[in-house]
Amino acid sequence: MFKIVKREEMSQGTVILNEIEAPLIAKKAKPGQFVILKANENGERIPLTMAETNPAKGTITIIYMVVGKSTALFRDLKVGEGYQDVIGPLGKATHLEKVGKVVCVGGGTGVAVLHPITRGLKEVGNDVTCIIGSRNKGLLIMEEHMRAASHDLRICTDDGSYGHHGFVTDVLQEVLKGGDIKLVVAIGPVPMMKAVSSITKEFNVETMVSLNPIMVDGTGMCGGCRVTVGGQTKFACVDGPEFDGHQVDYDELILRLRAYQEEERKCHQDYCTIRDAK
Amino acid sequence: MSEAADKKVQVARVAMPEQDAKVRARNFLEVPTGYTVKMAQEEASRCLQCKKPGCVAGCPVNVDIPGFIDLIAQGDMTGAIRNLWGKNALPAVCGRVCPQEVQCEGKCIVGKKGEPVAIGNLERFCADYEREHGTGELPPKTAATGKRVAVVGSGPSGLTVAGDLIVKGHDVTIFEAFHKPGGVLVYGIPEFRLPKAIVAQEVNFLERLGVRVQCNAVVGRTVSLDELFEEGYDAIYVGVGAGLPKFMNIPGENFVGILSANEYLTRANLMKAYKYPEVDTPIPLGKNVVVLGAGNVAMDSARTAMRLGADSVKVVYRRSRDEMPARGAEIHHAQEEGIELFLLTNPTRYLGNESGRLTGMECLRMELGEPDASGRRRPVAIKGSEFEIACDLCIVAVGSGANPLLTSETPDMKLNKWGNVQADEKNGKTTKPGVWAGGDIVTGAATVILAMGAGRAAADSIHDYLTLGW
């Protein structure tokens, strides 16, 4: 068992943080890599990019939004309990290099994944502007972490309850107009990454996105996570999870992410009904 | 042939009872239900006990076939299984999944005039009898040597290496990337052909002998081969399997509803998605299913789709019936269960709707031309023969390449041009000192028994290296 040593609820209880004992993974993991978690014997294998690792303590941290049965099961795990299986670190690590001015754009729980990458980009000497957003102030996560990890933090909310009233893409456009941006990193919901990539393409600024398609093994064996990048089929689990944002076929990715939509909805509903009846 | 032998040849082979085709096509219980003691003894008595047995020569691990069959005939079931174990660590598996018709049974003299002795069925009988009635007594182990061996991958070759080396006194740990041990026996071969309880029991047998099994360990990611040496392992065996699905590379392949056989079978078998929603992993349920390919994996996929309630399942293959690489029994069982063969047919593109879901595929009719490099007649497209097959699920079972996850992290282990590990054919030694390899990662996708044969040879070589220094 992989024990949970710390648990926090964020974003009004819709987002959960778990710090998990996994010494072998913590020792090897680098920013941008992911793990696969399985709650129990009958559980599904769920890929999640790590938000933090602590090699000295032997722990990794994941932050996820509760969206279906499997994440609802994860949410019900308490400190001292644990995951039956955690596998990793998987995928390629982020290529961290000093390029100059960098903008990191995060939406939803993508902010959690963006955090170690942002910090890493700052550590190697880049000038890092960070733009994070959520629907409203209460749903925003990791504000202080992101402030510490960047030189300049901009916040957006869809309803204007905090920071800029509007989308991260509005602020991004402004920052890009300021000029001289060498790299944009965007992590969040697929429509957000698609919108960011279409803007940065106009400005001709290199853009990196991190994808989280449906997968089973995470080691290149099943091919369920295939995405079209630059007209070629890639496996996100081993060729990614990070890709050139300008080359990704987002529309195909959105359709593929819906493969089990009906099953997911029903399964989650049944789980909640049974849990609440208890 | 003597008169007595001639008489034996006239005796019909004892058929193994099976679930009725109509019933089993909709359940996941094992298809053949096994011999009774009486059936096994009757079948065993058909063996001619040849002085120069062709069957043994036909077996990749040279099981003493007349020997164990004679013990069954005499009613000494314990002796029979002990005899089998001498050459084969996984008889319950091999009896079920070996391609006997081209190996042992293909060489059986009885088969020249009549039906060959049912060697596979008898092997399975011995293993099942031992599991159900045996004492559970473990084979003797040599005194501990103090040497540590890491086995990477818990498929048939890894399990064979572990079993061989543990009884020779070495300390053995298996590293498995998945959350359950067994490799292809667990994620690939379906429950109705190889019950998972049997694989679990084989692994448990090794654990009782002292083998440690560490799951969730992705060697190449969680830990590297060099780190294993740093941790104090004296030798490493790499048996990670093929594990890289091949696709058709035709337009539309990323429509929802097109899965590699690896994904489809892993969902069904390892994740037990056939029990969904009792378990959490879903599996696409097709009404009209097409399986591309004609090997055992294709048959397993087709039969799984039928069991999951499909209205129709078509196996689409570009060559003819004679070239189908699947075991004869699998093709026979599949057809009995209502699976249709679309031979000399090659898909050219997938068709989908606005939601990105598969609705069908366009195919071409083929005819056989001149023999190609494989010696098989090359399929050639018939011009203007395009036609459409409607389908909502397609499983691509056209083979597996070498998964680069471990090998790309191990630059000093040389690969061939296909990305398979270069290993000495006789002993499995790789170009990296202290590292052996065998099974599909060396040969490309092959059979369970060939992987076990490679494991056996490597285990002998590792034992020599650990005890004698070469």
Side-chain angles (χ1 to χ4, degrees), chain B residues 2 60 89 147 216 405:
Chain B
S2 71
K147 301 287 184 185
N216 299 325
L405 194 77

Side-chain angles (χ1 to χ4, degrees), chain A residues 2 24-25 28 33 38 40-45 69-70 73 84-92 214-217 219-224 226-228 233 235 237-238 252 255-256 258-261 263-264 267, chain B residues 177-180 187 214-218 220-224 227 231 243-245 247 253-260 262-263 266-267 270-271 276-285 354-357 403 405:
Chain A
F2 296 77
L24 290 175
I25 300 172
K28 289 299 275 289
Q33 289 189 298
K38 184 167 156 288
N40 55 35
E41 183 62 27
N42 289 340
E44 203 180 353
R45 290 167 66 101
K69 181 185 175 183
S70 292
L73 264 177
Q84 184 170 305
D85 302 289
V86 181
I87 302 105
L90 300 169
K92 287 185 177 155
I214 294 169
M215 56 178 76
V216 181
D217 62 291
T219 60
M221 210 199 79
C222 82
R226 56 198 194 277
V227 287
T228 302
T233 295
F235 290 0
C237 67
V238 287
E252 180 188 273
L255 294 173
R256 288 186 63 79
R258 288 185 193 144
Y260 298 98
Q261 205 171 26
E263 286 90 340
E264 283 160 5
C267 198
Chain B
F178 270 129
H179 55 271
K180 263 202 178 73
Y187 75 73
Q214 194 176 331
C215 290
N216 299 325
V218 187
R221 287 278 197 264
T222 317
V223 65
S224 69
E227 284 167 328
E231 279 177 30
L244 181 74
F247 284 92
E253 199 140 41
N254 290 348
F255 284 132
V256 171
I258 303 167
L259 283 79
S260 73
N262 272 359
E263 177 177 2
T266 300
R267 284 180 182 271
L270 176 75
M271 305 311 294
Y276 180 89
E278 195 185 312
V279 301
D280 296 341
T281 305
I283 189 163
L285 302 177
E354 65 286 351
S355 312
R357 289 182 183 257
N403 188 313
L405 194 77

Side-chain angles (χ1 to χ4, degrees), chain B residues 22-324:
Chain B
K22 279 214 174 64
V23 175
R24 73 181 192 236
R26 298 298 193 193
N27 72 44
F28 279 84
L29 301 174
E30 194 172 12
V31 171
T33 50
Y35 277 158
T36 59
V37 172
K38 188 165 167 283
M39 288 173 180
Q41 286 189 290
E42 192 182 325
E43 181 61 22
S45 69
R46 292 179 67 228
C47 176
L48 299 178
Q49 294 293 318
C50 303
K51 290 272 180 319
K52 282 186 189 164
C55 53
V56 178
C59 171
V61 297
N62 304 120
V63 164
D64 173 17
I65 293 163
F68 92 82
I69 291 183
D70 190 39
L71 289 162
I72 296 176
Q74 293 170 30
D76 179 3
M77 305 312 173
T78 309
I81 189 70
R82 293 278 176 286
N83 178 304
L84 265 166
W85 278 338
K87 292 285 184 184
N88 185 340
L90 306 169
V93 174
C94 290
R96 289 171 164 83
V97 306
C98 264
Q100 286 96 2
E101 73 257 35
V102 293
Q103 296 177 356
C104 52
E105 293 180 18
K107 300 276 163 62
C108 176
I109 299 295
V110 180
K112 303 280 183 222
K113 284 195 175 172
E115 286 179 292
V117 175
I119 300 168
N121 289 352
L122 289 170
E123 181 179 28
R124 170 185 160 165
F125 166 79
C126 281
D128 290 357
Y129 189 89
E130 170 67 17
R131 197 171 60 250
E132 283 152 24
H133 307 281
T135 58
E137 192 191 328
L138 295 172
K141 266 171 77 173
T142 316
T145 61
K147 301 287 184 185
R148 296 176 68 199
V149 181
V151 174
V152 185
S154 62
S157 81
L159 293 178
T160 301
V161 170
D164 280 9
L165 292 178
I166 197 80
V167 296
K168 288 178 173 161
H170 307 296
D171 181 289
V172 182
T173 304
I174 298 178
F175 294 87
E176 166 56 46
F178 270 129
H179 55 271
K180 263 202 178 73
V184 72
L185 307 176
V186 164
Y187 75 73
I189 302 177
E191 178 76 17
F192 55 82
R193 203 146 78 77
L194 178 63
K196 299 311 139 208
I198 289 172
V199 183
Q201 178 131 1
E202 298 284 7
V203 175
N204 179 259
F205 176 75
L206 295 180
E207 288 181 309
R208 285 170 52 222
L209 277 166
V211 173
R212 271 186 299 274
V213 181
Q214 194 176 331
C215 290
N216 299 325
V218 187
V219 177
R221 287 278 197 264
T222 317
V223 65
S224 69
L225 293 186
D226 288 329
E227 284 167 328
L228 289 175
F229 282 126
E230 283 164 28
E231 279 177 30
Y233 286 97
D234 300 289
I236 301 175
Y237 178 76
V238 174
V240 295
L244 181 74
K246 285 186 184 157
F247 284 92
M248 298 294 292
N249 296 316
I250 56 175
E253 199 140 41
N254 290 348
F255 284 132
V256 171
I258 303 167
L259 283 79
S260 73
N262 272 359
E263 177 177 2
Y264 187 70
L265 292 175
T266 300
R267 284 180 182 271
N269 304 330
L270 176 75
M271 305 311 294
K272 303 224 176 293
Y274 65 88
K275 293 183 180 171
Y276 180 89
E278 195 185 312
V279 301
D280 296 341
T281 305
I283 189 163
L285 302 177
K287 276 199 162 42
N288 296 298
V289 182
V290 166
V291 177
L292 303 178
N296 289 322
V297 174
M299 296 305 120
D300 287 347
S301 302
R303 298 172 71 197
T304 297
M306 186 56 91
R307 282 160 173 75
L308 286 169
D311 292 340
S312 77
V313 181
K314 300 176 176 70
V315 166
V316 170
Y317 181 49
R318 65 197 178 115
R319 299 180 195 255
S320 75
R321 174 72 178 75
D322 288 345
E323 287 85 18
M324 285 177 74

Side-chain angles (χ1 to χ4, degrees), chain A residues 22-72:
Chain A
L24 290 175
I25 300 172
K27 201 169 106 187
K28 289 299 275 289
K30 295 197 173 64
Q33 289 189 298
F34 69 95
V35 286
I36 284 184
L37 304 103
K38 184 167 156 288
N40 55 35
E41 183 62 27
N42 289 340
E44 203 180 353
R45 290 167 66 101
I46 300 292
L48 287 171
T49 305
M50 287 172 274
E52 190 73 79
T53 56
N54 187 335
K57 204 174 158 193
T59 61
I60 61 166
T61 300
I62 50 157
I63 295 176
Y64 56 89
M65 188 181 290
V66 180
V67 290
K69 181 185 175 183
S70 292
T71 41

